[in-house]
Amino acid sequence: VGRARECAIRLDDGTVSSKHAQIVYRSGSYRVEDLESTNGTFVGEYKISHSLAEQDHLQHAQLKDRSIVGIG
């Protein structure tokens, strides 16, 4: 997910990084992972972060039916 042409889900918005986040399928479920975006990725009210240094944020979030993902 991002502004770059090679992204499968392309968002033409200045608050979205060129390669903002990715949605992956692992161990029987879908997860969203932030790709060190400038403005962050949210699932519901929780900010996720690819950086392990940010201990108050999730590294990834498992997506459930009707999960709301915020980009930027």
Side-chain angles (χ1 to χ4, degrees):
V1 179
R3 288 183 295 132
R5 290 187 185 264
E6 62 267 18
C7 291
I9 300 173
R10 191 165 180 264
L11 303 172
D12 189 20
D13 185 308
T15 64
V16 177
S17 296
S18 59
K19 293 181 181 174
H20 198 102
Q22 65 183 358
I23 299 170
V24 296
Y25 185 77
R26 280 197 198 120
S27 303
S29 64
Y30 287 95
R31 297 172 184 236
V32 62
E33 298 176 346
D34 187 79
L35 298 176
E36 299 182 20
S37 66
T38 301
N39 294 318
T41 303
F42 297 80
V43 175
E45 61 189 59
Y46 299 101
K47 182 176 183 178
I48 60 170
S49 173
H50 194 70
S51 172
L52 291 173
E54 297 182 46
Q55 305 223 353
D56 57 336
H57 300 276
L58 301 171
Q59 184 179 7
H60 63 268
Q62 183 173 339
L63 297 178
K64 299 177 182 167
D65 196 18
R66 299 182 189 211
S67 290
I68 297 173
V69 178
I71 303 290

